[in-house]
């Protein structure tokens, strides 16, 4: 049996892989929180890209940079490696679509967690299958089953977090836990590996780790940074506006709508025919809600206002005869 090294570069690769998993899960939770409010499909797609692409796939292959087998060469099959990345993103997207709904249910959470967990485990072992070596690799069935169970539980917990976690500190804590779960699943699956001297000699086919994984990891990291900037900007621009009630006599404004503006061409004391004077009229015959401040009922002020410009006609008031005065005689 050949020796297997999971930390060929010391703690650099596990620490860096955990940091990337934490960042991906953090961004995914932020996108999922926005998906609960608006643009559900778009934000869930970005959340799947962050969690599946950065939080899971990038973490897996950064950790694989520190993997080596004694006296063996390792290469990676490019199409299978790319397929594993697509698998991670798609299964996370399916799980999010099943769970993040206006009315989420427990069966939907369990189904989404199971599908996502099995997909993440499938991504892991697909990536391991893409690894080609001149050594013969076998797996311990018990540890493989444990890694799949960890993946399902971690995926279910992650989907639960997307439904219930709000606030900066809670989101950071949830992302830290998700990073630990993803890393634990990876290293549990790697611990199930055993390497033996193979009958085949010579360099296996495929690309070296840095030739393949370096550009892929760099590209996804750039996308992650752009997504981080996008999430930061939208969190400022889309700050929800709380419902602001008026005083007891006035109506309440709509949620998330700016207060309506009055036209500058209309006099300040004009009352249109569609306005209900019984609900908004204050002292002096003027409305008293938050958009129409009350005015004193001083007769001199009213007289000056009437001489400055003609008073608007209230169409509901009874009209006087046009010609002369009618006597009831």
């Amino acid at each position: 049996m050949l020796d297997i090294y999971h930390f060929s570069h010391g703690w650099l690769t596990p620490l860096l892989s955990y940091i990337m998993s934490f960042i991906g899960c953090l961004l995914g939770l932020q996108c999922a929180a926005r998906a609960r409010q608006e643009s559900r499909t778009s934000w869930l797609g970005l959340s799947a890209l962050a969690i599946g692409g950065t939080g899971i796939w990038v973490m897996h292959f950064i950790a694989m940079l520190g993997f080596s087998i004694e006296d063996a060469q390792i290469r990676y099959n490019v199409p299978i490696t790319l397929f594993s990345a697509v698998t991670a993103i798609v299964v996370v997207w399916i799980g999010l679509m099943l769970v993040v709904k206006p009315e989420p249910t427990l069966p939907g959470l369990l189904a989404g967690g199971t599908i996502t967990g099995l997909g993440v485990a499938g991504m892991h072992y697909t990536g391991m299958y893409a690894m080609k070596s001149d050594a013969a690799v076998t797996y311990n069935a018990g540890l493989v089953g444990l890694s799949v169970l960890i993946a399902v539980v971690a995926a279910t917990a992650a989907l639960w977090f997307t439904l219930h976690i709000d606030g900066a500190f809670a989101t950071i804590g949830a992302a830290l836990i998700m990073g630990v779960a993803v890393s634990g699943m990876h290293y549990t699956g790697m611990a199930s590996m055993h390497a033996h001297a193979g009958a085949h000699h010579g360099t296996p086919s495929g690309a070296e780790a840095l030739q393949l994984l370096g550009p892929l990891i760099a590209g996804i990291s750039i996308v992650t940074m752009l997504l981080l900037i996008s999430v930061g900007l939208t969190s400022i621009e889309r700050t929800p506006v709380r419902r602001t009630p008026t005083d007891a006599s006035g109506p309440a404004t709509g949620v998330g709508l700016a207060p309506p503006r009055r036209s500058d061409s209309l006099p300040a004391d004009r009352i249109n025919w569609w306005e209900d004077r019984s609900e908004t009229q204050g002292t002096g015959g003027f409305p008293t809600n938050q958009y129409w401040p009350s005015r004193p009922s001083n007769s001199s002020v009213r007289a000056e206002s009437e001489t400055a410009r003609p008073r608007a006609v209230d169409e509901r008031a009874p009209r006087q005869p046009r010609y002369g005065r009618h006597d009831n005689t």
Side-chain angles (χ1 to χ4, degrees):
M1 182 179 294
L2 302 177
D3 291 333
I4 295 179
Y5 306 100
H6 299 287
F7 310 102
S8 299
H9 303 290
W11 288 98
L12 176 62
T13 51
L15 182 60
L16 183 59
S17 63
Y18 175 77
I19 291 175
M20 292 303 296
S21 180
F22 164 73
I23 293 175
C25 294
L26 180 64
L27 288 175
L29 290 176
Q30 292 287 335
C31 294
R34 286 158 176 75
R36 299 200 300 262
Q37 300 176 357
E38 56 182 340
S39 302
R40 174 175 176 266
T41 303
S42 300
W43 282 113
L44 288 186
L46 294 175
S47 179
L49 179 63
I51 297 177
T54 303
I56 298 175
W57 188 86
V58 170
M59 176 273 150
H60 170 82
F61 279 100
I62 287 180
M64 289 301 297
L65 293 176
F67 175 79
S68 62
I69 302 176
E70 180 187 8
D71 299 330
Q73 302 183 68
I74 297 176
R75 297 290 187 271
Y76 290 91
N77 183 290
V78 176
I80 298 179
T81 302
L82 296 177
F83 176 76
S84 67
V86 175
T87 301
I89 297 173
V90 170
V91 295
V92 172
W93 179 78
I94 293 174
L96 291 172
M97 292 296 291
L98 290 175
V99 172
V100 182
K101 296 180 178 180
E103 296 181 1
T105 60
L106 180 60
L109 175 63
L110 296 178
T114 301
I115 294 174
T116 304
L118 293 177
V120 169
M123 180 280 307
H124 172 81
Y125 290 105
T126 300
M128 296 307 301
Y129 179 76
M131 184 188 70
K132 304 299 180 182
S133 175
D134 50 2
V137 178
T138 59
Y139 295 91
N140 182 291
L143 290 178
V144 170
L146 179 60
S147 66
V148 174
L149 179 62
I150 293 175
V152 172
V153 174
T156 305
L159 294 177
W160 185 88
F161 286 146
T162 61
L163 293 175
H164 298 87
I165 294 300
D166 287 314
F169 291 104
T171 304
I172 292 174
L176 290 172
I177 296 173
M178 291 170 64
V180 170
V182 173
S183 299
M185 179 268 164
H186 170 81
Y187 285 107
T188 301
M190 296 300 293
S192 66
M193 292 183 59
H194 300 286
H196 306 272
H200 301 283
H201 299 281
T203 303
S205 61
E208 293 183 358
L210 291 178
Q211 292 177 346
L212 170 64
L213 301 181
L216 289 176
I217 292 173
I220 295 182
S221 299
I222 292 175
V223 173
T224 302
M225 293 302 103
L226 294 177
L227 181 59
L228 178 62
I229 296 174
S230 176
V231 169
L233 292 177
T234 53
S235 64
I236 295 175
E237 294 175 357
R238 300 187 180 188
T239 302
V241 180
R242 297 181 178 274
R243 181 179 176 88
T244 306
T246 62
D247 57 274
S249 62
T253 60
V255 178
L257 298 178
R261 296 181 179 181
R262 303 292 299 187
S263 175
D264 296 337
S265 61
L266 295 178
D269 60 344
R270 177 170 179 174
I271 302 177
N272 295 316
W273 63 269
W274 59 80
E275 295 181 359
D276 191 354
R277 305 180 83 180
S278 62
E279 295 182 358
T280 61
Q281 187 175 8
T283 58
F286 294 92
T288 59
N289 59 31
Q290 62 176 348
Y291 306 124
W292 290 80
S294 58
R295 300 181 61 180
S297 56
N298 193 322
S299 60
S300 61
V301 174
R302 296 184 62 184
E304 181 181 357
S305 175
E306 291 177 358
T307 55
R309 54 178 175 267
R311 183 178 180 87
V313 179
D314 187 352
E315 297 183 0
R316 297 177 301 175
R319 298 183 178 181
Q320 295 296 331
R322 184 172 180 179
Y323 300 102
R325 180 177 178 182
H326 291 258
D327 294 330
N328 295 327
T329 57

